[in-house]
Amino acid sequence: MVDNICFYSSPIGLLEIHASETHLTKLLLNSKGGVADVVSTGVLTNCMTQLDEYFAGRRKLFDLPLQLEGTAFQRQVWTALQSIPYGQTISYKQLAIKITNPKAYRAVGTVNGHNPFPILIPCHRVVNANGGLGGYTGGLHIKQYLLRLESGKS
């Protein structure tokens, strides 16, 4: 089945959102744009509404049907990411401990980098143990923006 695609203009750039009729299938940062399919699916409309609320500072938790495809370990990390409270950060090691695999902090970092739903699954809330930002697939400037937004300093 072919995904429906829409482009969302956000404060951090153009986001490309893919969805089936019932679930979001991926969200891409730094999209170059293109031709979008019909955006009439309720899933895409709901996602854009929730992103509007998030960027306006009125939404702290997303409630969207995500189609998570990956290994059991990847899904475990992505689920744990969703439990990091808005405006807070944890380290890669703390996240590895949270999933009861304390030595897997490097693997946790790799899984973070393959998050199919950045922002919606808040991988930007994971930082280095020393407080440094670490990496971010969309670029550190986006991670900094999202963390400032959530701290109320945007």
Side-chain angles (χ1 to χ4, degrees):
M1 173 178 262
V2 175
D3 281 352
N4 294 297
I5 301 170
C6 74
F7 297 98
Y8 175 83
S9 182
S10 79
I12 58 170
L14 194 62
L15 306 180
E16 184 174 322
I17 309 166
H18 294 237
S20 68
E21 291 299 317
T22 59
H23 289 80
L24 294 176
T25 56
K26 68 181 161 184
L27 185 147
L28 303 171
L29 303 173
N30 301 321
S31 176
K32 302 293 184 221
V35 178
D37 293 335
V38 178
V39 185
S40 61
T41 68
V43 176
L44 288 172
T45 302
N46 190 16
C47 181
M48 290 186 292
T49 298
Q50 289 191 32
L51 285 168
D52 284 342
E53 294 166 352
Y54 172 79
F55 285 115
R58 296 189 315 268
R59 176 168 290 275
K60 296 182 177 11
L61 185 66
F62 291 98
D63 181 23
L64 296 162
L66 306 178
Q67 184 175 317
L68 282 174
E69 294 182 359
T71 66
F73 180 74
Q74 288 173 318
R75 290 191 312 274
Q76 182 182 27
V77 170
W78 295 329
T79 298
L81 285 170
Q82 293 176 76
S83 71
I84 304 169
Y86 180 93
Q88 295 183 25
T89 59
I90 66 171
S91 71
Y92 295 98
K93 185 168 186 159
Q94 288 171 314
L95 185 57
I97 291 168
K98 189 177 194 103
I99 64 167
T100 66
N101 199 341
K103 294 183 179 180
Y105 58 91
R106 289 184 190 270
V108 162
T110 299
V111 171
N112 246 18
H114 292 95
N115 176 4
F117 299 101
I119 304 168
L120 307 179
I121 296 179
C123 55
H124 59 276
R125 296 180 189 155
V126 184
V127 297
N128 289 337
N130 66 5
L133 288 180
Y136 194 66
T137 300
L140 285 181
H141 65 289
I142 292 176
K143 186 172 187 170
Q144 289 170 323
Y145 179 90
L146 297 172
L147 293 174
R148 277 195 316 271
L149 172 71
E150 292 185 9
S151 71
K153 299 176 185 173
S154 62

